[in-house]
Amino acid sequence: MEHEEVKVRRGPRSRLPIVVAIHSRALGPAAGGIRLRRYPDWRDGLADALRLSEAMTAKNAAAGLDFGGGKSVITLGPGVELTPSLREAALLDVGELIESFGGTYFGGPDVGTGPDDMVVVRRSTSRVFCLPVEHGGTGSSSIPTALGVFAAVRAGARHVFGSPELSGRTVVISGLGSVGALVARHVAAAGARVVVSDVDPVKRDSAYEWVDPEKALRTPADILVPAAVGGVLSPELVPELAAPLIVGPANNQLTADPVADELAARGIVWVPDFIASAGGAVYTLLREVERLDEAAANARVESIGATVSAVLDTARDKGTTPLREARQRVETRLTGR
Ligand code: PHE
């Protein structure tokens, strides 16, 4: 096991299996959101927590933050109805488990949770970020995450097309959740033709063109933005991809690291997800822990663009892949070498 500490507990109030996985605290206390999602089996939720916490180590390290990686997962089994009272019970349970780490892990929102949920978690632990502003937090991390993704998209476009301008470019966004919807707004405002998709048809928005979710990743485009859950870029899909640039906020987009080599071999530029998606962590941790003001924290989020440029340019110059370059940056921070 590569992880430092993993706790799995059936929530005493909710009776739901809850996981907190700490991958690394080498750079400081671990930080990472609380995911609330349906899984076929709680073990799938455990596997997700292990992968997601490892990705948080890379994300926080590559972004220059003095935080390690961790993640919480509340697993909802098939057929279990998520009533408001079950939700409250699960959030109190996860808070209690977070509290048991004695300040070496901090939670926040992730897929399935938001700032209002953090108010409930706060009743069990003070180690939680992104409370609404009226509760003393900095609110939704989706806003800075989307800002960072937009900076990454522009930097990717500069690398691939020679210009960061998006006007006239076709951008496919797969996943219209809290981050995907904001990324759509940014790229549309920049003049792109925006095509969106989501597994939930009620997300269909007349402001954008719509493509069915099973077709989204294969839709011809200049830029593909994976903004749903992970594990979408597989060896089977690579030959069918139809965009020269892939960059988006979904965590753990590759089914496995070697997919990065297959993407590169096809001439597709893939921006590592843990670089592109760091805006929420960067903004939240700098504001709530380092006490930076909004402008300074946003400037650090925008600097994700410079990191993406450096990673892509160096990979091209050295003939490696963006993933290798990005992993090298993480290694350097973790080991000083
Ligand atoms: N859950 C988000 C992520 O995956 C944002 C977040 C990071 C929230 C760190 C809290 C703490 O990056």
Side-chain angles (χ1 to χ4, degrees):
M1 182 174 102
E2 287 163 23
H3 293 68
E4 283 186 20
E5 200 174 349
V6 181
K7 292 191 190 182
V8 188
R9 177 187 290 168
R10 185 178 282 282
R13 303 166 186 79
S14 65
R15 311 300 299 155
L16 295 177
I18 293 174
V19 185
V20 177
I22 309 295
H23 178 259
S24 167
R25 287 170 289 217
L27 296 175
I34 303 165
R35 182 164 294 204
L36 171 55
R37 210 191 145 193
R38 204 173 288 283
Y39 295 91
D41 187 283
W42 70 268
R43 293 169 191 82
D44 301 309
L46 170 61
D48 215 11
L50 295 177
R51 284 190 297 266
L52 290 163
S53 57
E54 184 169 359
M56 284 309 302
T57 298
K59 187 183 298 196
N60 292 337
L65 300 168
D66 294 326
F67 279 86
K71 205 91 173 190
S72 301
V73 172
I74 301 168
T75 69
L76 207 58
V80 178
E81 197 200 339
L82 184 62
T83 60
S85 62
L86 181 59
R87 187 182 190 92
E88 181 182 20
L91 292 166
L92 292 172
D93 285 340
V94 77
E96 197 173 87
L97 198 54
I98 291 170
E99 184 61 21
S100 76
F101 286 86
T104 67
Y105 165 66
F106 289 79
D110 195 69
V111 172
T113 63
D116 291 338
D117 296 312
M118 299 307 114
V119 178
V120 182
V121 176
R122 177 72 177 73
R123 282 157 51 194
S124 295
T125 182
S126 61
R127 327 288 189 183
V128 60
F129 296 132
C130 303
L131 270 78
V133 177
E134 61 274 22
H135 287 270
T138 54
S140 169
S141 58
S142 301
I143 297 162
T145 302
L147 196 65
V149 170
F150 183 56
V153 166
R154 287 175 46 88
R158 184 203 59 80
H159 179 88
V160 173
F161 308 117
S163 162
E165 298 307 321
L166 301 178
S167 142
R169 300 243 168 253
T170 297
V171 181
V172 171
I173 301 177
S174 171
L176 270 195
S178 51
V179 178
L182 294 174
V183 174
R185 230 193 276 171
H186 282 300
V187 295
R193 172 183 161 230
V194 183
V195 182
V196 300
S197 90
D198 197 280
V199 288
D200 183 354
V202 306
K203 296 273 172 62
R204 192 165 182 159
D205 181 333
S206 57
Y208 311 114
E209 286 175 55
W210 177 267
V211 62
D212 287 337
E214 67 277 10
K215 293 196 194 122
L217 302 168
R218 298 173 179 83
T219 301
D222 295 302
I223 307 170
L224 171 65
V225 178
V229 290
V232 289
L233 302 178
S234 64
E236 297 72 42
L237 181 69
V238 169
E240 296 180 43
L241 289 165
L245 171 62
I246 303 179
V247 44
N251 287 311
N252 298 335
Q253 292 167 24
L254 308 184
T255 52
D257 275 11
V259 175
D261 301 306
E262 297 171 31
L263 289 165
R266 266 211 64 199
I268 295 171
V269 171
W270 178 70
V271 177
D273 41 15
F274 59 85
I275 304 283
S277 67
V282 167
Y283 183 86
T284 302
L285 301 177
L286 292 180
R287 290 277 281 133
E288 298 198 20
V289 184
E290 317 285 350
R291 300 283 157 198
L292 263 59
D293 66 25
E294 198 177 329
N298 274 327
R300 279 286 295 277
V301 173
E302 300 269 4
S303 79
I304 288 171
T307 306
V308 169
S309 290
V311 165
L312 298 184
D313 293 351
T314 313
R316 179 158 63 195
D317 293 349
K318 296 207 299 202
T320 63
T321 65
L323 180 58
R324 283 221 170 74
E325 257 338 289
R327 289 238 185 272
Q328 185 56 54
R329 285 172 171 253
V330 173
E331 261 331 282
T332 304
R333 274 220 74 208
L334 289 175
T335 64
R337 269 176 286 128

